[in-house]
Amino acid sequence: MSHSPGEEGGLAPAAPNVNTQDLFDNPSKPVATEKTPEDQVSPAVDEVSPSSTSSFETLETDSVPAPYHEVLPHWFFCRRADDTTSWLPFSSEDSDKLEKACYTVGDQGDEVVIAVEGERYDVHVKERKRYAVYWEQGPTEVRRCTWFYKGDKDTRFMPYPEDISKSLEEAYKIAMTLDKWKSKLEFPNGETVILHNPKLVMQYQPIGLQDEWVSSPSEQTRPRTLKRGVNNISVEIPDGEPEKVDHLVFMVHGIGPACDLRFRSIIQCVNDFRSASLSLLASHYKHAQQDGQVGRVEFLPVNWHSALHGDATGVDEDIQRITLPSISRLRHFTNDTLLDLFFYNSPTYCQTIVDTVASEINTLHTLFKQRHSEFSGAVSVVGHSLGSLILFDLLTNQRTGSESREGVSHGEPLLLNSNTLQQTLTRLGLQQYLNTLQAENLDLESLALCQDGDLKDLGIPLGPRKKILNYVRKKWLSEDFKTAAVHQQEGLQVPPQVDADHDGNQSSGFMQQFQFHRAQSVTSAVDYEYFNVGIGQISIDYPQLAFHPQTFFAFGSPIGMFLTVRGLKHIDPNYAFPTCKSFYNIYHPYDPVAYRIEPMLVTEADLEPMLIPHHKGRKRMHLELKDSLTRMSMDLKNNVLGSLRTAWQSFSRPVAALPPVDEGDTSKDRDSQDTQGVCDEAESSVSADQTEHPQIQVGMLNGGRRIDYVLQEKPIESFNEYLFAIQSHLCYWESEDTALLLLKEIYDKLGVAIEQSQP
């Protein structure tokens, strides 16, 4: 059975039929043992020359053969998506590390693991596999590539398997050393490779297929072009990432498994955002990078959708049983995406979502610290759409250092308290599972973050699992009651009770009730009488993060809308997150899901949002033109109104007989009036400027600074805002303006100023 290179990204593993040792011992012996290349190749192949077809390249060979140089290998990894296979190169730095490790492994050596791509992936060199570190992803194939091929319909060169490349290199070495070309290699599937000259190597289809199926020379299968070495093919080798990490950012997705219009996952979208940030660092912090002041910012995805819709909750099966069979695709989209909004407002599944987000962030933070032991930077969080609301509720219910549970230190991995764990298991009669839990470095705090599926993976039966989770959560919930009561007055200003005064106005006060009812499994029954009526948050146990976030960025966020629906009319200007001191609400002007925050803080003035600068250093041209036209119309309107007002005053002013005065006095009076008019105009202009840029305190959510930041729409988007509404909600992952705002906020706090980019 034939095996084409397109199926697995290369030819079959079987090597070509060629004996290189015989060729060195007997140079006059042809490569093919039975027939010469001219006898074996079909007439169509024999007649082919570099000038007879467009697939060939017209190349001149030197009269004196060039000396043979060993080919420089480069390492590639395979990416498969939607039945397509592509091979992408590692950076030069990663490729060099893999090449050195390859010699270390050898044929009989132990496995060597090399961290690549910012230590987000590990390559098992001997196994030739690439594994993701921070998220679930199947292993991908890795190759040490030296020879590449491309057909007429291929868009890029594909690497041969390593054994095929080795045989091709041996044949190329013989031809170069002996200056003997037109040699031929035959593959087991019947395909043939002919080395015409040092720069022209072609691969032909089996002869029988061409003779039987083609009706004219133009319909013959064109041969493939072969290239030796990565330097001879058109491929963009990515730049290596700086090893130093200045800041860590966790990014939480919104509803559904897809994050953009191309239905890509959160992992792929965060990869794009990370790439954009690296490019912006190179262009806007160039000198700081050269001086070693700036390294890079690491962005890691946080996925909670798969846990909610997984087998542990069984919610998908429950929903599917009651779903109507009609319009199946639309109903599948509704069940898989839109229902996430309703799940978050359910006490049962809200607990699952919040636990998953917090547990995933803490796990990733611990893992990152283990792999980057030298990291001493701060950590921020980003939430898109519903993800921003999840983070908002989570940060609202964090506790400061003085209120933290005993034995838990923020910013450091949780340490095992073996005495407490042993006493707890003994009290429950489950001491036989102590070693199992200690092996995973679990304590009572960690158990409170675990779900039923986590303990199931450790091999703990259902009965003991329920006992452990029930006891641990009850223990920590009782402590939550004590600490929560202390901070009853440190929350958002909300109207717990509506009392109308004589004027019909509603009085509001502080109220933050912490009535927690859930101590069972996250999928157990719920008593709907217990709710947190303070800000409308559902009565669940909000877990604690292992660090204090420096900044919270919300992309396309519905936080303002949800707070309003929960009954919150106004946010106390003195309110701030307990553990996070900065908050930015970033949105596109046409985003249908985004809402503002500042009007809930500042009610006495109508503040325009802050316009996010273009990453090239200026406002978009169509916006500048729009502003210019607006100013021109306003100036024209003021001039016309001023002329009409002057004319009306001249007609309506009464004419009185005035005593004659001297010319000098007249000029003095006129000069005095003119001077007074100029002063009045100057004062009015100053007051207008002050009105245009009012100095207003917008509360402490962002340390007194502005919160709402709006992106500049593209020119094509301004033609029809409805057409680009959905795209506007999903644009943040590829927005360089958004990425630059994050970088500026991060590095401003590190004392590194942004460099102005030329427009």
Side-chain angles (χ1 to χ4, degrees), residues 300-322:
L300 296 180
V302 177
N303 185 2
W304 55 266
H305 182 270
S306 57
L308 174 64
H309 294 266
D311 296 335
T313 62
V315 63
D316 284 359
E317 296 181 1
D318 297 337
I319 293 295
Q320 189 60 39
R321 285 199 299 267
I322 60 176

Side-chain angles (χ1 to χ4, degrees), residues 5-72:
E7 293 183 8
E8 294 293 336
L11 289 174
N17 184 15
V18 59
N19 191 331
T20 57
Q21 186 61 38
D22 291 344
L23 290 174
F24 274 116
D25 296 340
N26 187 5
S28 61
K29 186 176 180 180
V31 177
T33 57
E34 296 181 359
K35 297 181 181 181
T36 63
E38 290 77 7
D39 295 333
Q40 276 236 335
V41 180
S42 67
V45 175
D46 284 335
E47 295 173 2
V48 172
S49 65
S51 60
S52 62
T53 176
S54 60
S55 296
F56 291 92
E57 302 175 7
T58 304
L59 299 170
E60 297 290 339
T61 58
D62 298 335
S63 57
V64 178
Y68 170 79
H69 295 286
E70 187 175 356
V71 63
L72 295 177

Side-chain angles (χ1 to χ4, degrees), residues 256-496:
C259 294
D260 64 359
L261 289 179
R262 287 179 282 176
F263 298 98
R264 297 185 304 167
S265 66
I266 178 65
I267 298 172
Q268 296 170 302
C269 291
V270 172
N271 288 342
D272 277 357
F273 197 88
R274 186 189 305 110
S275 299
S277 72
L278 291 173
S279 300
L280 291 170
L281 284 175
S283 60
H284 290 71
Y285 293 88
K286 181 178 180 180
H287 295 93
Q289 274 194 337
Q290 294 173 350
D291 297 339
Q293 295 179 281
V294 170
R296 64 183 176 92
V297 177
E298 182 61 276
F299 297 90
L300 296 180
V302 177
N303 185 2
W304 55 266
H305 182 270
S306 57
L308 174 64
H309 294 266
D311 296 335
T313 62
V315 63
D316 284 359
E317 296 181 1
D318 297 337
I319 293 295
Q320 189 60 39
R321 285 199 299 267
I322 60 176
T323 301
L324 301 181
S326 59
I327 52 173
S328 57
R329 292 186 178 181
L330 180 58
R331 295 187 189 279
H332 174 75
F333 173 78
T334 301
N335 294 345
D336 201 33
T337 302
L338 299 182
L339 286 188
D340 288 348
L341 289 170
F342 299 95
F343 287 141
Y344 187 69
N345 286 284
S346 160
T348 301
Y349 299 108
C350 180
Q351 184 73 65
T352 301
I353 294 173
V354 172
D355 283 348
T356 302
V357 171
S359 176
E360 187 75 5
I361 290 178
N362 288 336
T363 301
L364 292 175
H365 181 258
T366 302
L367 184 57
F368 179 85
K369 295 278 286 186
Q370 291 174 354
R371 296 179 67 88
H372 298 267
S373 57
E374 74 288 351
F375 176 75
S376 59
V379 184
S380 295
V381 291
V382 172
H384 174 244
S385 189
L386 181 62
S388 65
L389 180 65
I390 298 171
L391 288 176
F392 183 89
D393 291 341
L394 197 61
L395 294 177
T396 302
N397 290 274
Q398 295 297 293
R399 290 185 292 272
T400 58
S402 60
E403 302 166 349
S404 298
R405 298 176 181 128
E406 184 179 358
V408 178
S409 127
H410 290 280
E412 298 181 358
L414 300 176
L415 301 178
L416 178 66
N417 189 338
S418 57
N419 295 331
T420 303
L421 182 65
Q422 184 176 3
Q423 294 173 0
T424 300
L425 294 178
T426 302
R427 186 178 297 108
L428 297 174
L430 302 174
Q431 58 270 23
Q432 65 270 28
Y433 300 108
L434 177 63
N435 294 333
T436 302
L437 298 178
Q438 286 182 338
E440 299 295 330
N441 197 30
L442 290 174
D443 61 357
L444 294 180
E445 172 74 12
S446 303
L447 284 176
L449 299 176
C450 288
Q451 301 181 23
D452 185 76
D454 299 327
L455 299 183
K456 182 179 180 181
D457 293 339
L458 298 179
I460 300 178
L462 177 62
R465 291 202 307 266
K466 296 298 182 182
K467 286 185 178 181
I468 293 174
L469 292 176
N470 186 40
Y471 176 83
V472 171
R473 287 179 177 168
K474 279 185 177 180
K475 181 181 188 306
W476 291 113
L477 282 173
S478 62
E479 295 189 10
D480 286 340
F481 293 142
K482 298 176 183 178
T483 57
V486 177
H487 261 291
Q488 206 169 21
Q489 302 297 324
E490 296 184 1
L492 303 174
Q493 186 175 2
V494 297

Side-chain angles (χ1 to χ4, degrees), residues 645-663:
R645 187 181 299 109
T646 303
W648 175 255
Q649 290 176 355
S650 63
F651 283 117
S652 61
R653 183 183 299 118
V655 179
L658 297 177
V661 295
D662 297 335
E663 293 183 0

Side-chain angles (χ1 to χ4, degrees), residues 116-159:
V116 296
E117 300 183 62
E119 298 196 23
R120 293 182 298 275
Y121 290 90
D122 284 337
V123 172
H124 294 211
V125 179
K126 187 174 182 180
E127 187 186 2
R128 294 294 198 269
K129 294 292 184 181
R130 168 177 166 266
Y131 293 88
V133 174
Y134 296 107
W135 51 80
E136 294 183 3
Q137 181 179 333
T140 55
E141 185 181 354
V142 171
R143 280 185 190 171
R144 179 180 182 267
C145 304
T146 54
W147 282 82
F148 306 84
Y149 70 89
K150 185 179 79 168
D152 279 351
K153 296 183 179 179
D154 295 332
T155 57
R156 62 178 65 187
F157 279 90
M158 304 284 285

